[in-house]
Amino acid sequence: MLSAKDNELLTRVGPGTAMGELFRRFWMPALLSEELPGPDCEPVRLRLLGEDLLAFKDTNGRIAITDAFCPHRSAPLFFGRNEECGLRCVYHGWKFDVDGNCVDMPNCTEGDAFKERVKLTSYPVQDKAGMIWIFMGPNEKVPPLPGFEWLDVPSEQRYAFKYFMACNYLQTLENEFDTTHSSFLHSTLDGNVNNPINTITGQSFANRRRMLDYSRISIVDTAFGSAMITTQDPTPDGKDVYTLGVPYWMPSYSAAGALSAPGVLPLNLKVPVDDAHTVFFRFKWSRAPLSDKVLHDMKYGNYEFPVVIPGTYIAQANQSNDYQIDRVRQRFFNYTGIVNTPIQDFAMVENQRGPVTDRSRETLVSSDKYLIHIRRRLMDAAGRLQAGEEPREPWNTDAYRIRTRRIEVPGGTPLERVIEALVDVDPEWESKALRSLEVEPDALPALV
Ligand code: FES
Ligand SMILES: [Fe+2]
């Protein structure tokens, strides 16, 4: 449960708000690279953190994301002419380059001299991993891109898509760390083994443990955000076993979600459009090229990547049609009667008493521990930034490279010692952890 004041702090993302400013310290995906298919292509409207923006690619292939409105008389630049290395406003012909410089002001006598003083807001952008990333913070505080290893994998090893969601970012972000919902919301009914997830995990959702024992779990802060450390069963020879997983990368990124296929890893990136809307970038990648079969299933299977209304990024099963719930399916086949996993989530998070839920009306329990932690993490960082303390996470670039970790340690090793080792961001972590905790090299399985 949160006070109305804290709920406001967490959910308001427009310019000048505490959370809006915190998000403006991080690189965020803004749109898919495919939305700007080539030089001088059509400009694309977008909205992020409550700001109306416009993206275009100039004649040389340089990408711009700018204010959506002309600094002259606020005409919509969406209707502009994308020509000869710049976008020209069609109201009176002022022209801007990708850096927002006014390069032509043909409707007035003072144009040649005066244009130097006119600037269209233009944000730094980078095109990586099939997504165009934006930094909307102060010019003097632009950090490097986060060190996610998947930002640089070849295009045949990744797939990115996006969905617009009709709710505040925090509702869909919390869902990523709502650690018990999967075995209810995403389950199929007993005896139904056709769920593709079962063939990957070798288990039926219906049979999975539905309660999480938080006495075996610690939620810890890391240099990139937070993570879950779980005490696993000890080895037969008496070593204690711990895993670090379910990373939360600040400000709003997670690796929650099922594997598409063995070795295909999920990423969910939730970016605030405004207080009541979110854009969800859904990303899958692998250390080997994705097979045609896996890619085909992602694009057309309507399972992990819901089918959208043609020409949009809005799922066909959406709030306006109750997510196409089928009560017969719900009675006999799956838990919700809703076809695919992300839409089952959408149906919950878009309808928690509205797009910006009132968290003073919740009744939280131990299974909500991780999402409570995320709220605190965000609130603390936003509060500190308001007080003049910049967040360090955007600058801890290498920490974003973290993978799931598992270690075996001598029985009785203090938990604090284990946590210290597991959150260490040293690139030589494996060998260092082996040294300091006396783990046999072959005790470390492949990291996921
Ligand atoms: S409003 Fe754009 S040139 Fe006048
Ligand atoms: Fe889910």
Side-chain angles (χ1 to χ4, degrees):
M1 184 177 136
L2 279 183
S3 68
K5 187 162 162 276
D6 285 347
N7 204 36
E8 285 278 311
L9 169 70
L10 271 165
T11 53
R12 302 299 171 200
V13 294
T17 61
M19 198 52 68
E21 287 308 304
L22 182 67
F23 271 85
R24 282 169 172 78
R25 295 298 189 275
F26 292 85
W27 283 96
M28 306 177 300
L31 65 168
L32 296 172
S33 305
E34 68 186 33
E35 293 179 75
L36 294 178
D40 291 333
C41 58
E42 292 159 27
V44 174
R45 273 190 281 233
L46 68 156
R47 187 169 160 79
L48 292 175
L49 301 178
E51 285 186 42
D52 288 313
L53 303 169
L54 193 73
F56 66 95
K57 201 174 244 184
D58 78 1
T59 312
N60 296 327
R62 291 184 66 202
I63 295 169
I65 301 184
T66 68
D67 183 8
F69 303 102
C70 180
H72 177 214
R73 292 194 51 243
S74 298
L77 289 170
F78 171 73
F79 298 103
R81 302 175 56 84
N82 192 1
E83 56 179 31
E84 294 157 27
C85 285
L87 192 72
R88 194 182 285 282
C89 178
V90 289
Y91 206 1
H92 315 95
W94 292 19
K95 182 177 171 183
F96 303 91
D97 68 14
V98 290
D99 298 315
N101 301 310
C102 184
V103 293
D104 195 15
M105 197 183 273
N107 72 323
C108 56
T109 51
E110 71 273 33
D112 271 350
F114 191 68
K115 69 179 192 303
E116 313 293 324
R117 290 159 53 187
V118 175
K119 185 91 176 161
L120 173 70
T121 300
S122 174
Y123 292 112
V125 291
Q126 296 203 48
D127 191 356
K128 284 274 187 180
M131 293 174 275
I132 295 168
W133 296 70
I134 187 169
F135 180 79
M136 295 173 68
N139 278 339
E140 66 284 6
K141 296 201 167 71
V142 186
L145 275 175
F148 291 121
E149 61 183 304
W150 46 264
L151 282 185
D152 291 311
V153 298
S155 58
E156 59 272 20
Q157 289 172 227
R158 56 173 163 78
Y159 180 65
F161 202 68
K162 74 173 192 183
Y163 296 92
F164 287 116
M165 300 184 70
C167 64
N168 181 260
Y169 81 94
L170 190 58
Q171 275 152 249
T172 173
L173 180 63
E174 286 174 345
N175 179 62
E176 302 280 314
F177 302 96
D178 179 324
T179 39
T180 54
H181 83 271
S182 289
S183 51
F184 300 88
L185 186 74
H186 301 316
S187 64
T188 53
L189 300 186
D190 284 343
N192 176 4
V193 293
N194 292 326
N195 187 330
I197 292 295
N198 299 340
T199 60
I200 296 165
T201 62
Q203 60 189 336
S204 159
F205 260 113
N207 295 330
R208 281 170 62 171
R209 196 168 41 183
R210 293 186 164 194
M211 208 183 293
L212 212 56
D213 180 2
Y214 265 101
S215 67
R216 293 164 69 92
I217 290 171
S218 306
I219 308 297
V220 297
D221 284 331
T222 66
F224 56 82
S226 306
M228 178 187 274
I229 291 181
T230 307
T231 311
Q232 307 289 350
D233 293 334
T235 62
D237 60 350
K239 283 186 178 148
D240 291 341
V241 181
Y242 295 90
T243 51
L244 178 142
V246 200
Y248 159 60
W249 291 281
M250 286 187 78
S252 51
Y253 312 141
S254 100
L259 305 180
S260 302
V264 181
L265 307 174
L267 267 301
N268 294 328
L269 304 104
K270 310 285 175 76
V271 180
V273 168
D274 54 30
D275 292 349
H277 299 88
T278 302
V279 55
F280 165 19
F281 289 87
R282 191 157 170 79
F283 185 84
K284 304 275 178 175
W285 72 286
S286 173
R287 297 192 179 92
L290 298 171
S291 73
D292 289 348
K293 166 76 167 64
V294 165
L295 264 177
H296 186 275
D297 282 354
M298 286 177 186
K299 289 181 182 171
Y300 312 110
N302 194 27
Y303 182 66
E304 287 182 291
F305 287 83
V307 170
V308 291
I309 298 167
T312 75
Y313 293 100
I314 297 167
Q316 279 183 353
N318 60 46
Q319 201 172 36
S320 73
N321 53 31
D322 287 330
Y323 307 90
Q324 298 177 338
I325 186 173
D326 178 339
R327 297 291 183 181
V328 174
R329 181 188 292 270
Q330 185 174 36
R331 200 165 299 134
F332 297 112
F333 299 103
N334 76 356
Y335 203 74
T336 57
I338 294 169
V339 170
N340 60 48
T341 316
I343 298 298
Q344 292 159 3
D345 289 315
F346 286 24
M348 298 300 105
V349 301
E350 290 182 335
N351 298 283
Q352 292 174 289
R353 300 187 200 276
V356 185
T357 197
D358 176 358
R359 290 180 175 78
S360 71
R361 300 182 69 177
E362 297 172 329
T363 312
L364 300 181
V365 292
S366 62
S367 60
D368 300 309
K369 188 172 173 181
Y370 201 168
L371 66 90
I372 294 169
H373 188 95
I374 304 291
R375 291 178 187 178
R376 291 279 152 210
R377 191 86 167 80
L378 279 166
M379 272 198 296
D380 285 354
R384 280 202 298 272
L385 180 57
Q386 289 275 288
E389 187 186 333
E390 290 287 325
R392 285 189 299 275
E393 292 80 5
W395 299 89
N396 294 335
T397 312
D398 288 342
Y400 278 70
R401 201 170 288 273
I402 188 97
R403 296 180 185 177
T404 297
R405 295 169 163 184
R406 176 182 187 276
I407 52 172
E408 297 180 6
V409 295
T413 302
L415 181 60
E416 307 76 60
R417 183 78 192 83
V418 172
I419 291 174
E420 197 181 295
L422 278 171
V423 302
D424 190 342
V425 296
D426 189 331
E428 299 300 313
W429 177 80
E430 281 184 47
S431 54
K432 192 174 159 192
L434 296 179
R435 265 201 319 280
S436 59
L437 295 170
E438 299 168 7
V439 181
E440 295 302 319
D442 60 3
L444 282 169
L447 302 171
V448 179

